[in-house]
Amino acid sequence: MGRTLLLAGVMAGVTVPSVQAQSPRADGKFYGRLGGGLSDFASDLSSWRPAHPFGGGKFSRGTGPPVVFVGEIGYQFSPAWALGVGLQGGNYPVEVYPEVEGISDAYRYTPRLLGRYTFAGGTVAPYVDLGVHATLGGDRPPTRIGAGPSVGGGVDIQLGRAASLYVESRINLTVPDDAVDGAGGENRFDVTGQLLGIGLKVHFTTPTPPQILQVDGPATVPTDTTVTFVATVNEEDADRPLDAQWDFGDGEAATGRTATHSFDRPGRYVVSFTARNKAGSAGDSIAVVAERPPEPARIVSARAVPASVAAGAPVRFRAAVTGSDSLAYEWRFGDGATATGASPVHTYDTPGTYAARLRVSNRGGTDNRTIDVRVARPAERDTSSSAAGPSPTDSSTTPPTPTGSSAEAPPQERWGIVVASMSAEGQATAVARRYREQFPGPLRVEVVTAETEQGARRHRVVIGPFGEDAAAQRVLVERSDDLPSGAWLLRLE
């Protein structure tokens, strides 16, 4: 009967379904087990007194309860496999012991070596074990030392990372036949078993699960651009092996604490990192926004109006620029002065040739352009004479000298804006006609002929005259879009 109950318990332990644990079972750790339960004994003597309810009158009256105590230490190689060395000691009272050569001691001690296999890895996990044992005891007179196989099974119920509760049953087959009870018979072995036992299993060293200290990565990334993500974990403390995995939220994944990735399409992605070992797992995540990269800044054109100017006269700088996002302008005029903005105005105080530099930048890139500005000495006199069109000294601009007066009026200063200078008078006349159509109203356009130092004749198309250089300079700046970039001021006589 006892052996039948034992085998039923083993089968129940094997077939109990496991429940998934919140954390994996430990491995690579030493453990200890301590428990107790009901003892069971089967031998030739069991059938002599069939009045006992457990079958055969095995347990004697008045010699103590049928109990067993179990201790074991071992090593858990993996969540499934373990090897242990243990001792089972119990009281196996049989009523007929005194009738067999005076044996009255019912205590037997069974050291054993067991290999154990645990099914699955959940909170409730069945197991079976198999090993060898030796059985000794019965000192009045002592019985022989027997040995044989030990077979057991049960259920391990996990209480935490360091402890579990177990319920088990076991049989120890012992030979020779008279080693336990001192009596031989038809049976070739005796059984000292554990009908039902319960105990506690404790790991001497507890596994350390991973802990994520920090996950680093950019909050905003351009599409189709490779970026790096880094996770910091408690590597020095966590049990090995330690597995690390990334999920980038776009269907792609990677392993390792450091990973690189590029996003193909714009959007908001949750990048998750998970670390796992035999003690547990931990996870953390960050949000990443992928955007189309900005169009880089590019200078299409840049110019100074006018590009040739007298010292002290203002020059307006202009640039046509393309690019997305906010564009930053930085002007360096070549004389130590700087400015920002798309269209600054600057004045050069000293004659010379200056290289004005423009730098435009945004998140997408930077572009540079250089503009040469020629600055002349202020107001040189011109001895030119009118060759075509109305005289620049007509009565509309110069008051007449009183008749008969011996005193001459002082000469009036006049300025003009030179927009063209050419050797062919006919071409100059055609250019003047075009500018008269472009500048209707009070502004006059004339062709002024002058001789160069080499004796060549030049025909200049001049807008004016103006009574002062400031008025001419104001028109030069205000109408810069309608004037050529090389327009310059000329003092007329």
Side-chain angles (χ1 to χ4, degrees):
M1 181 65 179
R3 281 172 285 183
T4 304
L5 292 174
L6 172 63
L7 295 176
V10 172
M11 294 303 296
V14 173
T15 56
V16 170
S18 66
V19 179
Q20 289 300 315
Q22 295 180 352
S23 60
R25 291 179 173 269
D27 60 347
K29 302 295 181 182
F30 288 97
Y31 69 87
R33 287 171 32 123
L34 185 64
L38 293 175
S39 65
D40 184 35
F41 175 71
S43 73
D44 302 280
L45 302 179
S46 301
S47 60
W48 290 8
R49 304 290 174 88
H52 197 278
F54 285 99
K58 293 185 292 185
F59 303 119
S60 64
R61 293 183 294 274
T63 59
V67 294
V68 63
F69 298 95
V70 178
E72 179 181 318
I73 58 173
Y75 187 79
Q76 192 81 36
F77 294 95
S78 70
W81 291 101
L83 180 67
V85 177
L87 175 66
Q88 174 180 317
N91 181 32
Y92 304 94
V94 177
E95 187 178 7
V96 295
Y97 272 155
E99 302 176 19
V100 180
E101 300 181 4
I103 297 177
S104 60
D105 185 0
Y107 285 91
R108 300 292 181 270
Y109 307 98
T110 307
R112 61 191 180 215
L113 175 66
L114 299 174
R116 182 173 292 109
Y117 180 82
T118 302
F119 294 87
T123 300
V124 179
Y127 64 87
V128 294
D129 54 44
L130 177 65
V132 293
H133 77 92
T135 298
L136 63 155
D139 56 355
R140 291 195 296 245
T143 58
R144 299 171 57 184
I145 297 177
S150 178
V151 181
V155 177
D156 188 276
I157 304 171
Q158 192 170 13
L159 303 178
R161 296 203 319 267
S164 60
L165 181 72
Y166 71 87
V167 179
E168 69 177 8
S169 182
R170 176 174 310 282
I171 57 175
N172 302 304
L173 302 180
T174 307
V175 293
D177 182 27
D178 58 352
V180 177
D181 57 7
E186 297 180 358
N187 295 333
R188 298 186 178 276
F189 56 83
D190 294 336
V191 176
T192 56
Q194 180 179 245
L195 184 64
L196 182 64
I198 186 171
L200 185 67
K201 177 182 177 182
V202 178
H203 288 276
F204 297 143
T205 54
T206 60
T208 302
Q211 180 182 358
I212 299 176
L213 306 179
Q214 189 172 349
V215 176
D216 294 315
T220 303
V221 300
T223 56
D224 300 318
T225 301
T226 300
V227 293
T228 301
F229 297 91
V230 179
T232 304
V233 298
N234 57 336
E235 283 189 286
E236 295 183 358
D237 300 326
D239 283 30
R240 303 297 181 89
L242 184 63
D243 297 327
Q245 175 133 9
W246 293 89
D247 183 348
F248 298 108
D250 60 352
E252 300 293 331
T255 58
R257 291 189 305 105
T258 301
T260 58
H261 185 65
S262 64
F263 296 94
D264 298 333
R265 291 180 294 180
R268 183 181 184 276
Y269 299 91
V270 176
V271 178
S272 302
F273 174 78
T274 303
R276 295 183 178 88
N277 67 2
K278 57 196 175 185
S281 65
D284 198 359
S285 63
I286 58 174
V288 179
V289 177
E291 299 176 341
R292 296 288 185 194
E295 180 186 354
R298 187 174 70 89
I299 301 174
V300 178
S301 64
R303 61 175 180 157
V305 181
S308 298
V309 68
V315 180
R316 180 173 292 279
F317 292 85
R318 293 183 174 178
V321 179
T322 61
S324 60
D325 294 339
S326 298
L327 296 169
Y329 294 81
E330 181 184 1
W331 295 88
R332 296 183 179 274
F333 299 115
D335 61 351
T338 61
T340 58
S343 182
V345 176
H346 182 64
T347 300
Y348 292 93
D349 298 327
T350 306
T353 300
Y354 297 88
R357 291 180 172 84
L358 170 63
R359 174 187 174 92
V360 180
S361 59
N362 66 358
R363 290 193 304 125
T366 302
D367 197 8
N368 299 274
R369 187 68 60 89
T370 300
I371 309 166
D372 290 330
V373 181
R374 295 181 296 276
V375 180
R377 290 187 298 274
E380 54 181 73
R381 286 192 173 273
D382 184 46
T383 58
S384 61
S385 60
S386 177
S391 170
T393 58
D394 59 19
S395 58
S396 63
T397 58
T398 304
T401 302
T403 304
S405 174
S406 59
E408 294 183 359
Q412 183 179 5
E413 186 178 75
R414 298 184 308 149
W415 293 82
I417 302 173
V418 180
V419 296
S421 179
M422 54 196 65
S423 59
E425 183 179 358
Q427 294 180 353
T429 303
V431 172
R433 185 182 306 112
R434 178 167 59 83
Y435 273 97
R436 290 190 189 101
E437 296 174 355
Q438 189 173 352
F439 291 90
L443 294 179
R444 299 172 57 186
V445 180
E446 302 175 356
V447 177
V448 177
T449 302
E451 290 188 1
T452 65
E453 295 178 357
Q454 291 77 19
R457 293 176 65 84
R458 299 293 295 178
H459 305 280
R460 296 169 177 167
V461 179
V462 180
I463 299 175
F466 300 92
E468 55 184 12
D469 63 338
Q473 186 66 54
R474 185 168 57 252
V475 174
L476 181 63
V477 174
E478 292 176 353
R479 303 297 296 272
S480 60
D481 290 339
D482 302 321
L483 299 175
S485 61
W488 51 285
L489 295 184
L490 177 67
R491 185 174 180 179
L492 304 173
E493 290 187 351

